[in-house]
Amino acid sequence: MKPALKRIAWGYVFMLLDFRINSFDLLPDWLGLLFIAYGCAKAAEVSGVKEFWTAQKAAALYFLYTIIAFFIQMNYSASPIIQAGERPEYNVTMLLVLIGQLIHLLLVYGLCSSIHAYAIKQEQPGLQNSASARWKVYLAFTTLYLVYLAFLPNIEANYTMAIVLIALAGFILEFFILLLIVTAVKLPYHKIPPYTDEPSS
Amino acid sequence: MSKRPLIIAFFIIITAYLGNGIYDSKMKLKEGFFLDHNYEMTVEGGFFFELYFVDNYSTENPVVRIELPELEYMNSFTHAQHHGQYGKQSMYSFTFDSSRYGSEFWESLIGKEINEVTVYYAGGKSSILPIGSIRFLEHDSLYHEAILNENSPFQFNYSSSSNGAGVQAVDAQEALTLSAGKPGQAIPSIPSFCYKLRVDHATPNSKRPREYMNTACNEPSFPFHLEQGDRLVLEYSFSNQAEEDEVILYNFQLHLEGTRENGDPLRYPFAHIRSVIPSAESIKSLIKQKRSEAS
């Protein structure tokens, strides 16, 4: 189980961090998403926690999105990132950002619910509560952020500082999700047989 | 973990985007428009003018350039400059500068009128739009020749202006005496035009007064004596007669007369060209009007 969870953690690190040399991304998101998808599939097989399959599908969908967004970026002057200081508009960039954020939210839900179910199975109430609490905070923050982003093109204000602060807060929250996965990696794994209705003899 | 909060969050987010997206589309113009330009100009020694275009703000498909099909020589000098932001609309300015053309080109413009331009966008789209009217008038040949004279007594130094006022400075290339300054051709005619002429001496130890102040609104006090390197500064103000949605190009001339260093008579048109654009409030109300006309 540990190798599968480690892959998920490494995948999340790839997705979270952005090291570039001459615009070449040393830790590409698509590679991180492949790690997560593969790790989730293995974790689902080994642990029998079906929520890992949800996370695996979300990672696969996110992978597909990064590829499509890359091609859109190459062929149009659109980008899946809103630059600080640039006035947001309702255009392809905004649509890409929205779709990307919704899929990302789905992925975080998949990972948190997987770790939550895994913690129940492993009888780890601390991890279970932590997964539940971090998901709630993450969901509330992302919802507020995306609603704020929806209003941005229609309000005339200096929002550069707000965008920078939101990006910083978002990064800290992502880091806490990563810590949750790392905590799950560190737990001693106890193989629990699948539950059946047949009476034991 | 329950999926319900996630579904509710998705619903809230998508509703926020749809609502704001609908509002955004209602606030946009169906098509950009030029301010109503009312330009009449002579082409003595060259000219320059600016056109102003209002369109939806866009980083993906901005306006890149315009062409004046009727002035084939000038097609490549019309790159867009971002001039101002008015809510969801931007105003671009396009400067046409004739300084790189020969006198044959200027002569060929006399009597011509331009009423439309072709606008090109970054995405490759283009459209032909009306601009109002630009008319090139007959010029005063005497002063035209004075300006084209390579052995000019003055060299341009700087100019700046705002709505209704401005300043322009030239440097004397030789010692000379100015004996008269008469307001020349002003297009359009302006009911109120006041000017001051000032000489800033290049020689700091000069015992002469540092400035001569003359105001056409009062009594002018010629003559002026200039040494080589002295700076002649024209400060002026005028009454703006443009309508709220109109851009007028004001052409002023102050005809200087006097004597050059070698004793030859001096004739020099101290000219200034400046367009006065509507206020930000006028442009915003114009955008509102265009939006309501289109819906």
Side-chain angles (χ1 to χ4, degrees):
Chain A
M1 186 64 187
K2 275 198 175 186
L5 289 171
K6 267 186 184 173
R7 277 193 198 99
I8 298 172
W10 275 113
Y12 213 84
V13 169
F14 269 56
M15 214 175 61
L16 201 58
L17 300 179
D18 211 12
F19 288 122
R20 286 176 187 273
I21 295 176
N22 289 338
S23 79
F24 180 77
D25 195 354
L26 293 175
L27 303 174
D29 289 5
W30 60 266
L31 191 60
L33 289 163
L34 282 181
F35 269 50
I36 294 172
Y38 184 62
C40 285
K42 278 286 169 197
E45 276 175 22
V46 175
S47 67
V49 173
K50 65 179 185 345
E51 279 81 356
F52 276 113
W53 288 117
T54 309
Q56 192 256 354
K57 282 174 195 157
L61 186 65
Y62 206 174
F63 172 77
L64 201 65
Y65 161 81
T66 55
I67 302 299
I68 293 169
F70 176 76
F71 281 105
I72 291 174
Q73 201 176 349
M74 295 300 284
N75 292 299
Y76 303 93
S77 57
S79 152
I81 300 161
I82 290 180
Q83 305 294 338
E86 191 176 275
R87 187 189 166 92
E89 299 168 67
Y90 280 103
N91 53 20
V92 182
T93 294
M94 186 68 126
L95 191 67
L96 283 177
V97 169
L98 175 64
I99 294 171
Q101 289 289 334
L102 291 178
I103 297 173
H104 190 89
L105 193 59
L106 203 62
L107 174 65
V108 174
Y109 168 75
L111 291 173
C112 288
S113 63
S114 301
I115 291 168
H116 184 262
Y118 175 65
I120 292 172
K121 208 165 185 180
Q122 291 291 309
E123 295 173 344
Q124 294 287 339
L127 183 64
Q128 179 194 336
N129 291 338
S130 184
S132 176
R134 287 178 201 203
W135 161 244
K136 281 174 188 163
V137 173
Y138 190 91
L139 179 67
F141 172 81
T142 309
T143 306
L144 284 174
Y145 162 61
L146 289 179
V147 168
Y148 172 70
L149 203 62
F151 279 91
L152 264 191
N154 290 329
I155 52 176
E156 287 182 52
N158 189 357
Y159 36 74
T160 307
M161 187 50 80
I163 290 273
V164 170
L165 289 176
I166 286 169
L168 187 67
F171 184 82
I172 292 167
L173 278 177
E174 296 286 2
F175 187 71
F176 275 101
I177 299 294
L178 176 65
L179 280 183
L180 182 74
I181 303 167
V182 171
T183 311
V185 173
K186 285 182 179 169
L187 277 183
Y189 175 64
H190 306 293
K191 192 170 183 181
I192 297 163
Y195 174 79
T196 57
D197 288 336
E198 291 172 18
S200 54
S201 56
Chain B
M1 270 185 349
S2 171
K3 280 181 186 166
R4 186 178 285 178
L6 181 67
I7 293 165
I8 292 168
F10 268 47
F11 178 76
I12 292 168
I13 293 163
I14 290 167
T15 306
Y17 276 82
L18 283 176
N20 278 285
I22 291 166
Y23 175 79
D24 176 78
S25 68
K26 283 192 172 177
M27 295 304 286
K28 282 194 166 162
L29 293 167
K30 295 269 183 282
E31 190 177 43
F33 64 92
F34 280 90
L35 299 183
D36 187 18
H37 298 83
N38 182 2
Y39 288 178
E40 288 185 315
M41 65 185 90
T42 57
V43 292
E44 287 166 293
F47 60 89
F48 99 96
F49 61 88
E50 282 172 330
L51 298 180
Y52 295 91
F53 181 60
V54 179
D55 205 351
N56 296 319
Y57 171 83
S58 173
T59 50
E60 284 183 5
N61 194 24
V63 177
V64 285
R65 67 192 169 96
I66 60 170
E67 285 184 6
L68 301 185
E70 290 144 299
L71 294 184
E72 57 189 55
Y73 288 100
M74 302 190 71
N75 285 352
S76 58
F77 300 95
T78 55
H79 293 295
Q81 303 259 317
H82 191 258
H83 192 273
Q85 186 82 35
Y86 306 92
K88 289 198 171 293
Q89 280 72 38
S90 287
M91 188 153 84
Y92 299 92
S93 69
F94 305 89
T95 304
F96 290 85
D97 186 353
S98 72
S99 60
R100 61 183 73 189
Y101 297 103
S103 58
E104 303 83 27
F105 171 65
W106 306 335
E107 298 289 348
S108 74
L109 292 176
I110 295 170
K112 272 201 173 178
E113 185 167 340
I114 304 165
N115 300 104
E116 59 185 25
V117 300
T118 313
V119 181
Y120 291 89
Y121 295 85
K125 196 185 122 191
S126 68
S127 54
I128 296 171
L129 295 169
I131 52 167
S133 163
I134 300 175
R135 284 183 289 275
F136 295 95
L137 307 176
E138 190 78 48
H139 56 69
D140 184 334
S141 60
L142 181 70
Y143 287 94
H144 184 206
E145 282 163 22
I147 264 199
L148 289 179
N149 184 0
E150 284 179 6
N151 186 21
S152 173
F154 294 108
Q155 187 176 41
F156 174 80
N157 190 290
Y158 70 85
S159 76
S160 70
S161 70
S162 57
N163 279 3
V167 61
Q168 183 167 336
V170 292
D171 293 338
Q173 299 298 291
E174 59 187 71
L176 45 87
T177 303
L178 298 177
S179 56
K182 297 167 189 163
Q185 201 171 13
I187 306 168
S189 60
I190 301 155
S192 159
F193 177 60
C194 291
Y195 72 90
K196 282 183 201 172
L197 268 181
R198 185 177 83 232
V199 177
D200 292 340
H201 295 294
T203 49
N205 297 326
S206 168
K207 288 179 181 172
R208 290 170 297 177
R210 184 161 173 75
E211 292 183 350
Y212 292 102
M213 301 295 286
N214 287 273
T215 307
C217 301
N218 303 314
E219 285 297 312
S221 60
F222 284 94
F224 288 5
H225 301 287
L226 286 90
E227 296 297 330
Q228 185 179 13
D230 283 353
R231 182 164 298 165
L232 184 64
V233 182
L234 169 71
E235 291 174 14
Y236 60 86
S237 62
F238 61 92
S239 55
N240 177 18
Q241 300 170 87
E243 298 289 329
E244 281 193 351
D245 62 342
E246 188 183 39
V247 189
I248 290 187
L249 192 76
Y250 291 94
N251 301 238
F252 311 119
Q253 283 189 6
L254 180 65
H255 289 179
L256 298 177
E257 292 176 359
T259 316
R260 299 186 67 158
E261 194 173 27
N262 59 9
D264 287 350
L266 177 148
R267 285 193 182 88
Y268 187 81
F270 210 155
H272 202 67
I273 302 173
R274 181 56 53 190
S275 50
V276 177
I277 63 167
S279 64
E281 287 70 30
S282 299
I283 292 167
K284 279 181 184 171
S285 75
L286 202 59
I287 290 167
K288 209 172 171 181
Q289 186 191 324
K290 295 276 179 187
R291 261 201 311 258
S292 64
E293 280 172 12
S295 60

